Amino acid sequence: QGRMYIFARHICFSCDLLGNTKSIKIAFTEVIDIKKAKTALIIPNAIKILTPSRKFIFTSFIFRDEALKALNSLWCIHMGAMAAQEELE
């Protein structure tokens, strides 16, 4: 069990399992795709985040759709900013 934190430039996740703390930090600029996922192939409570090198599946969201909306909103902002910067170059 852990917590996801959504910041302007990063998605962070932290959990503590039996005294072993694990943290993940994903920059929005690294994200290729964000989509709904299922736990055990039938429970619709997960989010999948893809980067060029990894696939992350975060599960057990109580408010998955709201979290997905926030993630997609910030990711779209970054995608637009990256596209605009490429046009300037």
Side-chain angles (χ1 to χ4, degrees):
Q1 182 177 352
R3 295 183 185 266
M4 178 180 281
Y5 302 93
I6 304 170
F7 297 100
R9 296 184 178 166
H10 294 90
I11 304 159
C12 298
F13 177 81
S14 179
C15 68
D16 186 10
L17 295 171
L18 305 171
N20 185 15
T21 302
K22 172 101 175 169
S23 297
I24 298 170
K25 182 178 176 183
I26 308 166
F28 276 108
T29 55
E30 296 176 7
V31 174
I32 296 172
D33 196 14
I34 301 173
K35 58 175 81 173
K36 292 180 182 182
K38 295 180 181 179
T39 304
L41 300 174
I42 57 170
I43 303 169
N45 68 345
I47 295 174
K48 183 187 329 185
I49 299 175
L50 298 173
T51 69
S53 59
R54 304 230 8 224
K55 173 175 72 172
F56 301 94
I57 298 179
F58 300 99
T59 62
S60 300
F61 282 88
I62 296 171
F63 300 105
R64 178 191 63 177
D65 292 341
E66 289 84 351
L68 185 67
K69 186 176 180 180
L71 287 166
N72 275 321
S73 293
L74 285 170
W75 182 46
C76 287
I77 290 169
H78 279 277
M79 294 301 292
M82 288 171 48
Q85 185 175 4
E86 288 175 1
E87 286 180 15
L88 291 175
E89 294 175 355

Coordinates of all heavy atoms in Angstrom, one line a residue:
Q1 N 0.9 -1.2 0.0 CA 0.0 0.0 0.0 C 0.9 1.2 0.0 O 1.9 1.3 0.7 CB -0.9 0.0 1.2 CG -1.9 1.1 1.2 CD -2.8 1.0 2.4 OE1 -2.8 0.1 3.2 NE2 -3.5 2.1 2.7
G2 N 0.6 2.2 -0.8 CA 1.4 3.4 -0.9 C 0.5 4.6 -1.3 O -0.7 4.5 -1.4
R3 N 1.2 5.6 -1.6 CA 0.6 6.9 -2.0 C 1.2 7.4 -3.3 O 2.4 7.4 -3.4 CB 0.7 7.9 -0.9 CG -0.1 7.5 0.4 CD 0.0 8.7 1.4 NE -0.5 8.3 2.6 CZ -1.8 8.5 3.0 NH1 -2.6 9.1 2.1 NH2 -2.2 8.1 4.1
M4 N 0.3 7.9 -4.2 CA 0.8 8.6 -5.4 C 0.7 10.1 -5.2 O -0.3 10.6 -4.7 CB 0.0 8.2 -6.6 CG 0.4 8.9 -7.9 SD -0.5 8.3 -9.3 CE 0.3 6.8 -9.7
Y5 N 1.7 10.8 -5.5 CA 1.7 12.3 -5.5 C 1.9 12.8 -6.9 O 2.8 12.4 -7.6 CB 2.9 12.8 -4.6 CG 2.8 12.2 -3.2 CD1 3.5 11.0 -2.8 CD2 2.0 12.8 -2.2 CE1 3.4 10.5 -1.5 CE2 1.9 12.3 -0.9 CZ 2.6 11.2 -0.6 OH 2.5 10.7 0.7
I6 N 1.1 13.7 -7.3 CA 1.1 14.3 -8.6 C 1.6 15.7 -8.5 O 0.9 16.5 -7.9 CB -0.2 14.2 -9.3 CG1 -0.7 12.7 -9.3 CG2 -0.1 14.7 -10.7 CD1 -2.2 12.6 -9.8
F7 N 2.7 16.0 -9.1 CA 3.3 17.4 -9.1 C 3.3 17.9 -10.5 O 2.9 17.2 -11.4 CB 4.7 17.3 -8.5 CG 4.8 16.9 -7.1 CD1 5.2 15.6 -6.8 CD2 4.5 17.7 -6.1 CE1 5.3 15.1 -5.5 CE2 4.6 17.3 -4.8 CZ 5.0 16.0 -4.5
A8 N 3.6 19.1 -10.7 CA 3.6 19.8 -12.0 C 4.5 19.1 -13.0 O 4.1 19.0 -14.2 CB 4.0 21.3 -11.8
R9 N 5.6 18.5 -12.6 CA 6.6 17.9 -13.5 C 6.8 16.5 -13.3 O 7.4 15.8 -14.2 CB 7.9 18.7 -13.5 CG 7.8 20.1 -13.9 CD 9.1 20.8 -14.0 NE 8.9 22.1 -14.4 CZ 9.8 23.1 -14.3 NH1 10.9 22.8 -13.8 NH2 9.5 24.3 -14.8
H10 N 6.3 15.9 -12.2 CA 6.6 14.5 -11.9 C 5.4 13.8 -11.3 O 4.6 14.4 -10.7 CB 7.8 14.4 -10.9 CG 9.1 14.9 -11.4 ND1 9.5 16.2 -11.3 CD2 10.1 14.2 -12.0 CE1 10.7 16.3 -11.9 NE2 11.1 15.2 -12.3
I11 N 5.5 12.5 -11.4 CA 4.6 11.6 -10.7 C 5.4 10.9 -9.7 O 6.5 10.3 -10.1 CB 3.9 10.6 -11.6 CG1 3.2 11.3 -12.8 CG2 3.0 9.6 -10.9 CD1 3.0 10.4 -14.0
C12 N 5.1 10.9 -8.4 CA 5.9 10.2 -7.4 C 5.0 9.2 -6.7 O 3.8 9.4 -6.5 CB 6.4 11.2 -6.4 SG 7.6 12.4 -7.2
F13 N 5.6 8.1 -6.3 CA 4.9 7.1 -5.5 C 5.8 6.6 -4.4 O 7.1 6.5 -4.6 CB 4.6 5.9 -6.5 CG 3.9 4.8 -5.7 CD1 2.6 4.8 -5.5 CD2 4.7 3.7 -5.3 CE1 2.0 3.8 -4.8 CE2 4.1 2.6 -4.6 CZ 2.7 2.7 -4.4
S14 N 5.3 6.4 -3.3 CA 6.0 6.0 -2.1 C 5.2 5.0 -1.3 O 4.0 5.1 -1.1 CB 6.4 7.2 -1.2 OG 7.1 6.8 -0.1
C15 N 5.9 3.9 -0.9 CA 5.3 2.9 -0.1 C 6.3 2.4 1.0 O 7.5 2.5 0.8 CB 4.7 1.8 -0.9 SG 5.9 0.7 -1.7
D16 N 5.7 1.8 2.0 CA 6.5 1.3 3.1 C 6.0 -0.1 3.4 O 4.9 -0.3 3.9 CB 6.4 2.1 4.3 CG 7.4 1.7 5.4 OD1 8.2 0.8 5.2 OD2 7.2 2.2 6.6
L17 N 6.8 -1.1 3.0 CA 6.5 -2.5 3.2 C 7.4 -3.1 4.2 O 8.6 -3.3 3.9 CB 6.5 -3.3 1.8 CG 5.5 -2.9 0.8 CD1 5.9 -3.6 -0.5 CD2 4.1 -3.3 1.2
L18 N 6.9 -3.4 5.3 CA 7.6 -4.1 6.4 C 8.9 -3.4 6.7 O 10.0 -3.9 6.9 CB 7.9 -5.5 6.0 CG 6.7 -6.4 5.7 CD1 7.1 -7.7 5.1 CD2 5.8 -6.6 6.9
G19 N 8.8 -2.0 6.8 CA 10.0 -1.2 7.1 C 10.9 -0.9 5.9 O 11.9 -0.2 6.1
N20 N 10.6 -1.4 4.7 CA 11.4 -1.2 3.5 C 10.7 -0.1 2.7 O 9.6 -0.4 2.1 CB 11.6 -2.5 2.7 CG 12.5 -2.3 1.6 OD1 13.2 -1.3 1.5 ND2 12.4 -3.3 0.6
T21 N 11.2 1.1 2.6 CA 10.6 2.2 1.9 C 11.0 2.1 0.4 O 12.2 2.0 0.1 CB 11.0 3.5 2.5 OG1 10.6 3.5 3.9 CG2 10.3 4.7 1.8
K22 N 10.0 2.2 -0.4 CA 10.3 2.2 -1.9 C 9.7 3.5 -2.5 O 8.6 3.9 -2.1 CB 9.6 1.0 -2.5 CG 9.6 1.0 -4.0 CD 10.6 0.1 -4.5 CE 10.5 0.0 -6.0 NZ 11.6 -0.7 -6.6
S23 N 10.5 4.2 -3.3 CA 10.0 5.4 -3.9 C 10.2 5.4 -5.4 O 11.2 4.8 -5.9 CB 10.7 6.6 -3.3 OG 10.4 6.8 -2.0
I24 N 9.3 5.9 -6.2 CA 9.4 6.0 -7.6 C 9.1 7.4 -8.0 O 8.2 8.1 -7.5 CB 8.4 5.1 -8.3 CG1 8.6 3.6 -7.9 CG2 8.4 5.2 -9.8 CD1 7.5 2.7 -8.3
K25 N 9.9 7.9 -9.0 CA 9.7 9.3 -9.5 C 9.8 9.2 -11.0 O 10.7 8.7 -11.6 CB 10.9 10.2 -9.0 CG 10.7 11.6 -9.5 CD 11.9 12.4 -8.9 CE 11.9 13.9 -9.3 NZ 13.1 14.6 -8.8
I26 N 8.7 9.6 -11.7 CA 8.6 9.6 -13.1 C 8.3 11.0 -13.6 O 7.4 11.6 -13.2 CB 7.4 8.7 -13.5 CG1 7.4 7.3 -12.9 CG2 7.3 8.6 -15.1 CD1 6.2 6.5 -13.0
A27 N 9.2 11.5 -14.5 CA 9.0 12.8 -15.1 C 7.9 12.7 -16.2 O 7.9 11.7 -16.9 CB 10.3 13.3 -15.7
F28 N 7.1 13.7 -16.2 CA 6.0 13.7 -17.3 C 6.7 13.7 -18.7 O 6.1 13.2 -19.6 CB 5.1 14.9 -17.1 CG 4.0 14.7 -16.1 CD1 4.0 15.3 -14.9 CD2 2.9 13.8 -16.4 CE1 3.0 15.1 -14.0 CE2 1.9 13.6 -15.5 CZ 1.9 14.2 -14.3
T29 N 7.9 14.3 -18.8 CA 8.5 14.3 -20.1 C 8.9 12.9 -20.6 O 9.2 12.7 -21.8 CB 9.8 15.2 -20.1 OG1 10.6 14.7 -19.0 CG2 9.4 16.6 -19.9
E30 N 9.0 11.9 -19.7 CA 9.4 10.5 -20.0 C 8.2 9.7 -20.3 O 8.3 8.6 -20.9 CB 10.1 9.9 -18.8 CG 11.4 10.5 -18.5 CD 12.1 9.8 -17.3 OE1 11.5 8.8 -16.8 OE2 13.1 10.4 -16.8
V31 N 7.0 10.1 -20.0 CA 5.8 9.3 -20.2 C 5.4 9.2 -21.6 O 5.3 10.2 -22.4 CB 4.6 9.9 -19.3 CG1 3.3 9.2 -19.6 CG2 4.9 9.9 -17.8
I32 N 5.1 8.0 -22.0 CA 4.6 7.7 -23.4 C 3.1 7.5 -23.4 O 2.4 8.0 -24.3 CB 5.3 6.4 -23.9 CG1 6.8 6.6 -24.1 CG2 4.6 6.0 -25.3 CD1 7.5 5.3 -24.4
D33 N 2.6 6.9 -22.4 CA 1.1 6.7 -22.3 C 0.7 6.5 -20.9 O 1.4 6.0 -20.0 CB 0.8 5.4 -23.1 CG -0.7 5.3 -23.5 OD1 -1.4 6.3 -23.3 OD2 -1.1 4.2 -23.9
I34 N -0.6 6.9 -20.6 CA -1.2 6.8 -19.4 C -2.6 6.2 -19.7 O -3.4 6.9 -20.5 CB -1.4 8.1 -18.6 CG1 0.0 8.7 -18.3 CG2 -2.1 7.8 -17.2 CD1 0.0 10.0 -17.7
K35 N -3.0 5.1 -19.1 CA -4.3 4.6 -19.4 C -4.9 3.8 -18.2 O -4.2 3.4 -17.3 CB -4.3 3.7 -20.6 CG -3.4 2.5 -20.6 CD -3.5 1.7 -21.9 CE -2.8 2.2 -23.0 NZ -2.7 1.4 -24.2
K36 N -6.2 3.5 -18.3 CA -6.8 2.7 -17.3 C -6.3 1.2 -17.4 O -6.0 0.8 -18.5 CB -8.4 2.7 -17.5 CG -9.0 4.0 -17.2 CD -10.5 3.8 -17.5 CE -11.2 5.2 -17.3 NZ -12.7 5.0 -17.5
A37 N -6.3 0.6 -16.2 CA -5.9 -0.8 -16.2 C -6.8 -1.6 -15.2 O -7.6 -0.9 -14.5 CB -4.4 -1.0 -15.9
K38 N -6.7 -2.9 -15.2 CA -7.5 -3.7 -14.3 C -6.6 -4.5 -13.4 O -5.5 -5.0 -13.8 CB -8.4 -4.6 -15.0 CG -9.5 -3.8 -15.8 CD -10.4 -4.8 -16.5 CE -11.4 -4.0 -17.3 NZ -12.3 -4.9 -18.1
T39 N -7.0 -4.8 -12.2 CA -6.3 -5.7 -11.3 C -7.0 -7.1 -11.5 O -8.2 -7.2 -11.5 CB -6.5 -5.2 -9.8 OG1 -6.0 -3.9 -9.7 CG2 -5.7 -6.1 -8.9
A40 N -6.2 -8.1 -11.5 CA -6.6 -9.5 -11.7 C -7.6 -9.6 -12.9 O -8.5 -10.4 -12.9 CB -7.3 -10.0 -10.4
L41 N -7.3 -8.8 -13.9 CA -8.0 -8.8 -15.2 C -9.5 -8.5 -15.1 O -10.2 -8.4 -16.1 CB -7.9 -10.2 -15.9 CG -6.5 -10.7 -16.2 CD1 -6.5 -12.1 -16.7 CD2 -5.8 -9.7 -17.2
I42 N -10.0 -8.2 -13.9 CA -11.5 -7.9 -13.8 C -11.8 -6.7 -13.0 O -12.9 -6.1 -13.1 CB -12.3 -9.1 -13.3 CG1 -11.8 -9.6 -11.9 CG2 -12.3 -10.3 -14.3 CD1 -12.6 -10.6 -11.2
I43 N -10.9 -6.3 -12.1 CA -11.3 -5.2 -11.2 C -10.7 -3.9 -11.7 O -9.5 -3.7 -11.8 CB -10.7 -5.5 -9.8 CG1 -11.2 -6.8 -9.2 CG2 -11.0 -4.3 -8.8 CD1 -10.5 -7.3 -8.0
P44 N -11.6 -3.0 -12.1 CA -11.2 -1.7 -12.8 C -10.7 -0.7 -11.8 O -11.4 0.3 -11.6 CB -12.4 -1.3 -13.5 CG -13.5 -1.8 -12.7 CD -13.0 -3.1 -12.1
N45 N -9.5 -0.9 -11.2 CA -9.1 0.1 -10.2 C -7.6 0.4 -10.3 O -6.9 0.8 -9.4 CB -9.3 -0.5 -8.8 CG -8.5 -1.7 -8.4 OD1 -7.9 -2.3 -9.3 ND2 -8.4 -2.0 -7.1
A46 N -7.0 0.3 -11.5 CA -5.6 0.5 -11.7 C -5.3 1.5 -12.8 O -6.2 1.8 -13.6 CB -4.9 -0.8 -12.0
I47 N -4.1 2.0 -12.8 CA -3.6 3.0 -13.8 C -2.2 2.4 -14.3 O -1.4 2.1 -13.5 CB -3.4 4.4 -13.2 CG1 -4.8 5.0 -12.9 CG2 -2.7 5.3 -14.3 CD1 -4.8 6.3 -12.2
K48 N -2.1 2.4 -15.6 CA -0.8 2.0 -16.2 C -0.1 3.2 -16.8 O -0.7 4.0 -17.5 CB -1.1 1.0 -17.3 CG 0.2 0.4 -17.9 CD 0.1 -0.5 -19.2 CE -1.1 -1.3 -19.3 NZ -1.1 -2.2 -20.5
I49 N 1.2 3.4 -16.5 CA 2.0 4.4 -17.0 C 3.2 3.8 -17.7 O 3.9 3.0 -17.1 CB 2.5 5.4 -15.9 CG1 1.3 6.0 -15.1 CG2 3.4 6.5 -16.4 CD1 1.6 6.8 -13.9
L50 N 3.3 4.2 -19.0 CA 4.4 3.6 -19.8 C 5.5 4.7 -20.1 O 5.1 5.9 -20.4 CB 3.9 3.2 -21.2 CG 2.9 2.0 -21.1 CD1 2.3 1.8 -22.5 CD2 3.5 0.8 -20.6
T51 N 6.7 4.3 -19.9 CA 7.9 5.1 -20.3 C 8.7 4.3 -21.3 O 8.4 3.2 -21.5 CB 8.7 5.5 -19.1 OG1 9.4 4.3 -18.6 CG2 7.9 6.1 -18.0
P52 N 9.7 4.9 -22.0 CA 10.4 4.2 -22.9 C 11.1 2.9 -22.3 O 11.3 1.9 -23.0 CB 11.5 5.1 -23.4 CG 10.9 6.5 -23.2 CD 10.1 6.3 -22.0
S53 N 11.4 3.0 -21.1 CA 12.2 1.8 -20.5 C 11.4 1.0 -19.5 O 11.8 -0.1 -19.1 CB 13.4 2.4 -19.8 OG 13.1 3.3 -18.8
R54 N 10.2 1.5 -19.0 CA 9.5 0.7 -18.0 C 8.0 0.8 -18.1 O 7.5 1.7 -18.8 CB 9.9 1.3 -16.6 CG 11.3 1.3 -16.3 CD 11.8 0.7 -15.0 NE 11.0 0.1 -14.1 CZ 11.1 0.3 -12.8 NH1 11.9 1.2 -12.3 NH2 10.4 -0.5 -12.0
K55 N 7.3 -0.1 -17.5 CA 5.9 -0.1 -17.4 C 5.5 -0.1 -15.9 O 6.0 -1.0 -15.2 CB 5.3 -1.3 -18.1 CG 3.8 -1.5 -17.9 CD 3.2 -2.6 -18.7 CE 3.6 -3.9 -18.1 NZ 2.9 -5.1 -18.8
F56 N 4.7 0.8 -15.5 CA 4.3 0.9 -14.1 C 2.8 0.7 -14.0 O 2.1 1.3 -14.8 CB 4.6 2.3 -13.5 CG 6.1 2.7 -13.5 CD1 6.6 3.4 -14.6 CD2 6.9 2.3 -12.5 CE1 7.9 3.8 -14.6 CE2 8.3 2.7 -12.5 CZ 8.8 3.4 -13.6
I57 N 2.4 -0.2 -13.1 CA 1.0 -0.4 -12.9 C 0.7 -0.1 -11.4 O 1.2 -0.8 -10.5 CB 0.5 -1.8 -13.3 CG1 0.8 -2.0 -14.7 CG2 -0.9 -2.0 -12.9 CD1 0.4 -3.4 -15.2
F58 N -0.1 0.9 -11.2 CA -0.5 1.3 -9.8 C -1.9 0.9 -9.6 O -2.8 1.2 -10.4 CB -0.4 2.9 -9.7 CG 1.0 3.4 -9.9 CD1 1.4 3.9 -11.2 CD2 2.0 3.3 -8.9 CE1 2.7 4.4 -11.4 CE2 3.3 3.8 -9.2 CZ 3.6 4.3 -10.4
T59 N -2.1 0.2 -8.5 CA -3.4 -0.5 -8.3 C -4.1 0.1 -7.1 O -3.6 0.8 -6.3 CB -3.3 -2.0 -8.1 OG1 -2.4 -2.2 -7.0 CG2 -2.6 -2.6 -9.4
S60 N -5.4 -0.4 -6.9 CA -6.2 -0.2 -5.7 C -6.6 1.3 -5.5 O -6.6 1.8 -4.4 CB -5.5 -0.7 -4.4 OG -5.3 -2.1 -4.6
F61 N -6.8 2.0 -6.6 CA -7.3 3.4 -6.5 C -8.8 3.4 -6.1 O -9.6 2.6 -6.7 CB -7.2 4.1 -7.8 CG -5.8 4.6 -8.1 CD1 -4.9 3.8 -8.8 CD2 -5.4 5.9 -7.8 CE1 -3.7 4.2 -9.1 CE2 -4.1 6.3 -8.1 CZ -3.3 5.5 -8.8
I62 N -9.1 4.2 -5.1 CA -10.5 4.3 -4.8 C -11.2 5.3 -5.8 O -12.3 5.0 -6.2 CB -10.7 4.9 -3.3 CG1 -10.1 3.8 -2.3 CG2 -12.1 5.2 -3.0 CD1 -10.0 4.3 -0.9
F63 N -10.5 6.3 -6.1 CA -11.0 7.3 -7.1 C -10.1 7.3 -8.3 O -9.4 8.3 -8.7 CB -11.1 8.7 -6.5 CG -12.0 8.8 -5.3 CD1 -11.4 8.8 -4.0 CD2 -13.3 8.7 -5.5 CE1 -12.3 8.9 -2.9 CE2 -14.2 8.8 -4.3 CZ -13.6 8.9 -3.1
R64 N -10.1 6.2 -9.0 CA -9.1 6.0 -10.2 C -9.4 7.0 -11.3 O -8.5 7.6 -11.8 CB -9.3 4.6 -10.8 CG -8.3 4.4 -12.0 CD -8.5 3.2 -12.8 NE -9.9 3.2 -13.4 CZ -10.3 2.2 -14.1 NH1 -9.5 1.2 -14.4 NH2 -11.5 2.2 -14.7
D65 N -10.7 7.2 -11.6 CA -11.0 8.1 -12.7 C -10.5 9.5 -12.5 O -10.0 10.2 -13.4 CB -12.5 8.1 -13.1 CG -12.9 6.7 -13.7 OD1 -12.0 6.0 -14.1 OD2 -14.1 6.4 -13.6
E66 N -10.7 10.0 -11.2 CA -10.2 11.3 -10.9 C -8.7 11.4 -10.9 O -8.1 12.4 -11.4 CB -10.7 11.7 -9.5 CG -12.2 12.0 -9.4 CD -13.0 10.7 -9.2 OE1 -12.5 9.6 -9.3 OE2 -14.2 10.9 -9.0
A67 N -8.0 10.4 -10.4 CA -6.5 10.4 -10.5 C -6.1 10.4 -12.0 O -5.1 11.1 -12.4 CB -6.0 9.2 -9.8
L68 N -6.7 9.5 -12.8 CA -6.4 9.4 -14.2 C -6.6 10.8 -14.9 O -5.8 11.2 -15.7 CB -7.2 8.3 -14.9 CG -6.9 8.0 -16.3 CD1 -5.5 7.4 -16.4 CD2 -7.9 7.1 -16.9
K69 N -7.7 11.5 -14.6 CA -7.9 12.8 -15.2 C -6.8 13.8 -14.8 O -6.4 14.5 -15.7 CB -9.3 13.3 -14.7 CG -9.8 14.5 -15.4 CD -11.2 14.9 -14.9 CE -11.6 16.2 -15.6 NZ -13.0 16.6 -15.2
A70 N -6.4 13.8 -13.6 CA -5.4 14.7 -13.1 C -4.0 14.4 -13.8 O -3.3 15.3 -14.3 CB -5.2 14.7 -11.6
L71 N -3.7 13.1 -13.9 CA -2.5 12.7 -14.6 C -2.5 13.0 -16.1 O -1.5 13.6 -16.6 CB -2.3 11.1 -14.4 CG -1.9 10.6 -13.1 CD1 -2.1 9.1 -13.0 CD2 -0.5 11.0 -12.8
N72 N -3.6 12.7 -16.7 CA -3.7 13.1 -18.2 C -3.7 14.6 -18.4 O -3.1 15.0 -19.4 CB -4.9 12.4 -18.8 CG -4.7 11.0 -19.2 OD1 -3.7 10.7 -19.7 ND2 -5.7 10.1 -19.0
S73 N -4.3 15.3 -17.6 CA -4.3 16.8 -17.7 C -2.8 17.3 -17.7 O -2.4 18.1 -18.6 CB -5.1 17.5 -16.7 OG -6.5 17.2 -16.8
L74 N -2.1 16.9 -16.7 CA -0.7 17.4 -16.6 C 0.2 16.9 -17.7 O 1.1 17.6 -18.2 CB -0.1 17.1 -15.2 CG -0.6 18.0 -14.1 CD1 -0.2 17.5 -12.7 CD2 -0.2 19.4 -14.3
W75 N 0.0 15.6 -18.1 CA 0.7 15.0 -19.1 C 0.5 15.8 -20.5 O 1.4 16.1 -21.2 CB 0.4 13.5 -19.3 CG 1.2 12.8 -20.3 CD1 2.5 12.9 -20.5 CD2 0.7 11.9 -21.3 NE1 2.9 12.1 -21.6 CE2 1.8 11.4 -22.0 CE3 -0.6 11.4 -21.5 CZ2 1.6 10.5 -23.1 CZ3 -0.8 10.5 -22.5 CH2 0.3 10.1 -23.3
C76 N -0.8 16.1 -20.7 CA -1.1 16.8 -22.0 C -0.5 18.2 -22.0 O 0.0 18.7 -23.0 CB -2.6 16.9 -22.1 SG -3.4 15.4 -22.6
I77 N -0.4 18.9 -20.8 CA 0.2 20.2 -20.7 C 1.7 20.0 -21.1 O 2.2 20.8 -21.9 CB 0.1 20.8 -19.3 CG1 -1.4 21.2 -19.1 CG2 1.1 21.9 -19.1 CD1 -1.7 21.6 -17.7
H78 N 2.4 19.0 -20.6 CA 3.8 18.8 -20.9 C 4.0 18.4 -22.4 O 4.9 18.8 -23.0 CB 4.4 17.7 -20.0 CG 4.8 18.2 -18.7 ND1 6.0 18.9 -18.4 CD2 4.1 18.3 -17.5 CE1 6.0 19.3 -17.2 NE2 4.9 18.9 -16.6
M79 N 3.1 17.6 -22.9 CA 3.2 17.2 -24.3 C 3.0 18.5 -25.2 O 3.8 18.6 -26.2 CB 2.1 16.2 -24.7 CG 2.3 14.9 -24.0 SD 3.9 14.1 -24.4 CE 3.7 13.7 -26.1
G80 N 2.1 19.4 -24.9 CA 1.9 20.6 -25.6 C 3.1 21.5 -25.5 O 3.6 22.1 -26.5
A81 N 3.7 21.6 -24.3 CA 4.9 22.4 -24.1 C 6.1 21.9 -24.9 O 6.9 22.6 -25.5 CB 5.2 22.5 -22.6
M82 N 6.2 20.6 -24.9 CA 7.3 20.0 -25.7 C 7.2 20.2 -27.2 O 8.1 20.5 -27.9 CB 7.4 18.5 -25.3 CG 7.9 18.2 -23.9 SD 7.8 16.5 -23.4 CE 8.5 15.6 -24.8
A83 N 6.0 20.1 -27.7 CA 5.7 20.3 -29.1 C 6.0 21.7 -29.5 O 6.6 22.0 -30.5 CB 4.3 19.9 -29.4
A84 N 5.6 22.6 -28.6 CA 5.8 24.1 -28.9 C 7.3 24.4 -28.9 O 7.8 25.1 -29.7 CB 5.1 24.9 -27.9
Q85 N 8.0 23.8 -28.0 CA 9.5 24.0 -27.9 C 10.2 23.4 -29.2 O 11.1 24.0 -29.7 CB 10.1 23.3 -26.7 CG 11.5 23.6 -26.5 CD 12.1 23.1 -25.1 OE1 11.4 22.4 -24.4 NE2 13.3 23.4 -24.9
E86 N 9.7 22.3 -29.6 CA 10.3 21.7 -30.8 C 10.1 22.6 -32.1 O 10.9 22.7 -32.9 CB 9.8 20.3 -31.1 CG 10.3 19.2 -30.1 CD 9.6 17.9 -30.2 OE1 8.8 17.7 -31.1 OE2 10.0 17.0 -29.5
E87 N 8.9 23.2 -32.1 CA 8.6 24.1 -33.2 C 9.5 25.3 -33.2 O 9.9 25.8 -34.3 CB 7.2 24.5 -33.2 CG 6.2 23.5 -33.6 CD 4.7 23.9 -33.5 OE1 4.5 25.2 -33.5 OE2 3.8 23.1 -33.6
L88 N 9.9 25.8 -32.0 CA 10.8 26.9 -31.9 C 12.2 26.6 -32.4 O 12.9 27.5 -32.8 CB 10.8 27.5 -30.5 CG 9.5 28.1 -30.0 CD1 9.6 28.5 -28.6 CD2 9.1 29.3 -30.9
E89 N 12.6 25.4 -32.2 CA 14.0 25.0 -32.6 C 14.1 24.7 -34.0 O 14.2 25.0 -35.0 CB 14.3 23.7 -31.8 CG 14.4 23.9 -30.3 CD 14.7 22.6 -29.6 OE1 14.7 21.5 -30.2 OE2 14.8 22.7 -28.4

